[in-house]
Amino acid sequence: LTRPVAMFVGDEFYQAEQATIFRKRAVPLTVSVRLPEPGMAVAHEGYGIPLLITRDRNGAAHVFLNACTHKGAKLIDGCEAVKAGRLSCPYHAWTFGVDGTLIGAARPETFVNLDKNARNLVELPSREAGGIIWAMLDRHAEADFSSMDEALTADLEAFDLPRQHLYGHKQFDLKANWKVVLEPFLEGYHVQRLHARTVGPLFADVPNVVDKLGRNLRQISGKVNFTPDCLDVPGENVHASVTHAYNLFPNCVIVTSPYYISVMFLMPNGPDRTVVDYFMLTRRPPDNPKGAELYRKSFEMIIGVFGGEDFYAAEICHAGLKTGALDTVVYSGLEATIPIFYEILDEVMKP
């Protein structure tokens, strides 16, 4: 099975993806636990668009364009979530509620016939399910949340994803196409080779079991110690012997581990650039020194594996594809999930 290199390095294909996927359909933005309490807000620019994600006083999530409706200044600049009942523009101090309503303008008597109701923040269609917040990036496009799937949401609820603790977050800015960054998380062919000195010895060199959940993909793979009877042991941590890896179409990856869950958003910013938000979620905050050390080492390890190995491989792969040495790339039987993903991509991109 092969795919043309032009789909990874060409601006024409990138623009087609933007028009048919990233601007026409809802995309996953971030994890719900980034805003664990009502009255919180966080700025988000991973897709190259200034967004503001909030949780109102009733706990509902909202996604707005991060632009004050006076002169467009960003209300929040930075990537840290803030706890605030209201948001004040740093330019002229217009104040908004976390539900987007304009509460007040400084010196309102100086405006002629100012209609505050017409100057609320611009809200984008959004939904929250299974611990993930999705949104439309184009305010003028018809809302399409068809990539969300009930079976997928049920799986994420079973992992208790909406109620996990956000232990760590790191952002990467990669010189690679988003699909090149995604591919390692759709196959096990690289694991014992690229990760030979880290996690490779933990995994069996065999194909994954793959299921389609709507447009989303679920992969289940046994580790080297896996036998079917492991699943029948009372109280057994199934993640010690089985790894679940999900692709939330198009560009979110979720991977389970014994003590934490990794969630990544691979956000295209051009045919040659991908911004990745990585989140490590744990069942609860560490409550003793041993737990704190375990989480610290786990975070350092996974950042080293994903950042230093998977993302490094994506960048050197993309650099090689740009040389023009190949017209097509070829996939093995241990990479069979990748063609399945591209079949879904092709179907969605049809005119």
Side-chain angles (χ1 to χ4, degrees):
L1 296 172
T2 63
R3 299 291 297 193
V5 169
M7 69 181 293
F8 304 104
V9 300
D11 187 65
E12 181 179 352
F13 197 89
Y14 171 78
Q15 295 299 337
E17 289 176 339
Q18 290 295 302
T20 59
I21 300 175
F22 291 96
R23 296 297 185 268
K24 189 177 181 179
R25 292 173 171 81
V27 294
L29 284 187
T30 193
V31 288
S32 297
V33 293
R34 201 169 184 189
L35 300 172
E37 302 173 12
M40 297 190 72
V42 66
H44 185 291
E45 295 194 25
Y47 286 101
I49 303 170
L51 303 176
L52 187 63
I53 307 172
T54 72
R55 193 173 297 286
D56 66 26
R57 296 178 184 275
N58 296 318
H62 301 267
V63 179
F64 304 99
L65 293 176
N66 190 3
C68 176
T69 51
H70 172 218
K71 285 193 174 181
K74 292 191 290 186
L75 299 180
I76 298 178
D77 192 19
C79 61
E80 296 299 321
V82 298
K83 178 76 171 178
R86 55 184 59 188
L87 305 167
S88 182
C89 176
Y91 195 177
H92 295 97
W94 279 35
T95 303
F96 300 84
V98 287
D99 61 355
T101 57
L102 175 59
I103 296 174
R107 296 293 304 275
E109 76 278 6
T110 64
F111 291 88
V112 178
N113 298 323
L114 176 64
D115 181 1
K116 288 200 302 182
N117 292 327
R119 290 284 170 174
N120 295 330
L121 294 180
V122 174
E123 185 165 8
L124 301 176
S126 66
R127 292 185 187 177
E128 183 175 21
I132 302 293
I133 297 173
W134 301 66
M136 299 289 298
L137 298 181
D138 184 348
R139 61 179 292 203
H140 301 296
E142 182 179 351
D144 183 346
F145 290 88
S146 57
S147 292
M148 298 176 68
D149 182 86
E150 290 184 3
L152 170 70
T153 299
D155 274 20
L156 302 185
E157 286 285 349
F159 291 137
D160 211 27
L161 199 74
R163 290 160 290 279
Q164 296 281 307
H165 167 69
L166 174 52
Y167 176 83
H169 169 225
K170 185 173 179 60
Q171 188 171 92
F172 299 84
D173 196 336
L174 306 178
K175 297 177 181 178
N177 185 271
W178 71 278
K179 299 182 297 300
V180 177
V181 181
L182 174 64
E183 283 196 0
F185 302 101
L186 296 175
E187 50 95 346
Y189 183 40
H190 74 287
V191 174
Q192 289 197 5
R193 285 148 279 276
L194 177 64
H195 303 310
R197 296 182 179 180
T198 54
V199 298
L202 300 176
F203 292 88
D205 203 24
V206 296
N208 299 324
V209 176
V210 181
D211 296 296
K212 292 173 67 175
L213 307 177
R215 295 187 183 125
N216 311 287
L217 296 173
R218 176 180 62 201
Q219 304 169 85
I220 303 174
S221 56
K223 298 183 180 179
V224 291
N225 63 328
F226 173 77
T227 57
D229 58 289
C230 291
L231 304 178
D232 299 325
V233 179
E236 175 72 7
N237 183 344
V238 66
H239 304 301
S241 54
V242 174
T243 296
H244 299 79
Y246 290 81
N247 166 238
L248 279 59
F249 186 85
N251 60 325
C252 176
V253 174
I254 298 177
V255 183
T256 64
S257 298
Y259 305 108
Y260 59 92
I261 296 176
S262 294
V263 185
M264 286 169 280
F265 300 84
L266 320 180
M267 297 168 286
N269 277 245
D272 303 333
R273 182 185 174 210
T274 303
V275 174
V276 178
D277 264 343
Y278 170 80
F279 299 94
M280 176 176 153
L281 309 184
T282 60
R283 290 187 178 182
R284 58 187 66 87
D287 57 5
N288 59 74
K290 184 177 180 180
E293 182 66 6
L294 172 64
Y295 289 173
R296 183 190 67 80
K297 287 184 176 180
S298 296
F299 187 71
E300 289 182 357
M301 183 276 296
I302 204 67
I303 291 298
V305 170
F306 288 165
E309 296 176 1
D310 289 296
F311 297 162
Y312 166 75
E315 290 193 316
I316 62 173
C317 180
H318 188 87
L321 293 176
K322 287 189 67 178
T323 66
L326 290 75
D327 294 323
T328 63
V329 294
V330 62
Y331 299 102
S332 72
L334 289 176
E335 300 168 289
T337 311
I338 298 176
I340 296 174
F341 171 78
Y342 288 137
E343 288 172 4
I344 299 170
L345 192 75
D346 289 343
E347 182 64 28
V348 173
M349 292 182 65
K350 278 183 179 178

